[in-house]
Amino acid sequence: MGVEEVVESLGGVIIDVGRPVKTVAQAVKATGVSPRQVIKSLVLISEKGSILAIVDGESRVSLEKVKQHFGEVRLATPEEVREITGFEVGGVPPVGINIKTVVDPRVLENEFVIGGGGRIDKLCKLDPRKIVEHQKAEIIEIRE
């Protein structure tokens, strides 16, 4: 199942922006939501394997906090992101990626969130609880 099918099956929508959207600021401009409603889906490499870490657009992932749960950890390189997820940096969706997923609790304070849509010119709009459910994600405070 592709990203669009997964998102739609979870009651979300894909937004075709028509131009590259790689940053929180660009996603805010394209959709009119607040930075807090935008999510970042980052791929981390840890001692225990790959992790999809999801935080809100105002936050940064704390590698220190992630390390407490998964041992040594670092950000994946763009090449590793492509190998692990099949997506380019900036287009990584929050669902449909079969790796350990961790969601910061602040993400769940939103009724809906805007995340990567599988391509850098697409975004997805989803209920963050559906992300947790679909990815069988752990909810752990991982923001700085």
Side-chain angles (χ1 to χ4, degrees), residues 53-55 60-62 65-66 102 104 140-144:
I54 300 176
V55 294
R60 294 174 57 117
V61 169
S62 164
K65 288 181 182 175
V66 176
V102 179
D104 186 86
I140 303 173
E141 190 173 305
I142 53 169
R143 70 184 182 280
E144 283 182 356

Side-chain angles (χ1 to χ4, degrees), residues 30-131:
T31 59
V33 300
S34 80
R36 187 115 180 234
Q37 291 170 292
V38 174
I39 55 170
K40 299 188 270 193
S41 303
L42 303 169
V43 179
L44 308 176
I45 307 290
S46 82
E47 288 177 26
K48 298 181 182 176
S50 307
I51 301 166
L52 184 64
I54 300 176
V55 294
D56 70 274
E58 291 180 346
S59 301
R60 294 174 57 117
V61 169
S62 164
L63 293 179
E64 269 313 302
K65 288 181 182 175
V66 176
K67 184 178 172 180
Q68 292 167 14
H69 298 275
F70 300 100
E72 281 305 318
V73 66
R74 64 176 173 81
L75 270 174
T77 65
E79 293 75 29
E80 289 169 326
V81 170
R82 197 176 318 107
E83 273 172 38
I84 293 164
T85 69
F87 300 101
E88 299 292 325
V89 169
V92 176
V95 291
I97 294 173
N98 195 14
I99 61 175
K100 173 86 187 146
T101 303
V102 179
V103 176
D104 186 86
R106 194 162 147 187
V107 170
L108 299 173
E109 293 172 11
N110 293 297
E111 191 180 319
F112 68 86
V113 291
I114 302 288
R119 292 197 346 219
I120 60 166
D121 60 349
K122 291 188 175 188
L123 295 169
C124 72
K125 178 180 177 180
L126 269 174
D127 178 333
R129 286 154 286 278
K130 296 283 190 184
I131 296 170

Side-chain angles (χ1 to χ4, degrees), residues 2-18:
V3 176
E4 297 196 21
E5 291 85 358
V6 173
V7 169
E8 285 163 10
S9 76
L10 298 174
V13 292
I14 292 285
I15 302 164
D16 197 337
V17 181

